[in-house]
Amino acid sequence: MAEVAATANRAGTKQPGKVFNIILWVLQIAAAAMFLFAGTPKLLGAPQVVAVFDTIGFGQWFRYLTGGLEIIGAILLLIPRLSGVGALLLMCVMVGAAGTHLFLIGGSPVPAIVLFLVMALIAWARRDRTRGLLGRAQ
């Protein structure tokens, strides 16, 4: 294990410190739980969520899309190799959520903005894994 880390460090790969990695995993697990709890009612058609998406005005297909993206993103956050991709996906969802609150349904966009920032941190910290998926490991 130490040999792998030493080889990675010599190759110029930046790996987060142990404490930072633990903090990232706590954030990833907490965010995954939040997105699972947010996406499930959308897919199950909870009446309150259906009413919100009626107000948005794009149709109920958009509720299914949003819920599906939240669930997929949550699962990706829990897969080490794909956690950066999941964070990027969820950043896009949070941009849409913040915009929806600001321009369509009202309410505070702050939770979406906070989640966007957490996803940005995770995406940044896991960028080497994401680059590796694209064949651009540095």
Side-chain angles (χ1 to χ4, degrees), residues 48-60 100 104-106:
Q48 183 179 6
V49 177
V50 170
V52 168
F53 278 83
D54 278 339
T55 303
I56 293 170
F58 291 147
Q60 292 303 311
T100 299
L104 296 175
I105 63 173

Side-chain angles (χ1 to χ4, degrees), residues 65-85:
L65 174 67
T66 304
L69 290 175
E70 288 174 343
I71 299 287
I72 290 167
I75 292 167
L76 293 176
L77 283 177
L78 300 175
I79 301 171
R81 188 171 181 193
L82 300 175
S83 57
V85 174

